[in-house]
Amino acid sequence: PIIFLSCDENETRISLSLVQWNVAKREKISILDDPKGFVQGVAIHPWRKHVAAMSTDRSLRIYAMKAESGTISRCMYNIRKLK
């Protein structure tokens, strides 16, 4: 499946969650609401092993991704910037 991550369920405003879509089927796969701040960036590993998300809560979250299905399973690391 083709995977796309957007920062809002309706794609109309900034949100505190990541929405994972199957573009071919035009359906949501999952909603990740771990970030406590606005999501500013998302990166997907080339072999679809991990997804990284940065947010305004000054943290980088790295999620495990199941390559065969494309689903994001859990947050593996939460790296926070010290003040």
Side-chain angles (χ1 to χ4, degrees), residues 17-77:
S17 61
L18 289 169
V19 182
Q20 184 181 14
W21 296 86
N22 181 326
V23 177
K25 295 181 180 179
R26 296 183 180 196
E27 62 184 22
K28 286 180 267 185
I29 297 172
S30 64
I31 298 174
L32 305 170
D33 55 4
D34 294 341
K36 305 300 181 226
F38 296 112
V39 177
Q40 294 181 311
V42 176
I44 301 174
H45 187 276
W47 298 327
R48 294 182 8 184
K49 291 183 176 185
H50 302 96
V51 173
M54 293 280 302
S55 62
T56 58
D57 65 355
R58 302 177 75 161
S59 65
L60 166 68
R61 289 174 175 82
I62 300 176
Y63 299 90
M65 188 174 200
K66 297 179 182 176
E68 62 279 352
S69 64
T71 58
I72 299 171
S73 60
R74 62 184 171 87
C75 182
M76 296 173 27
Y77 302 102

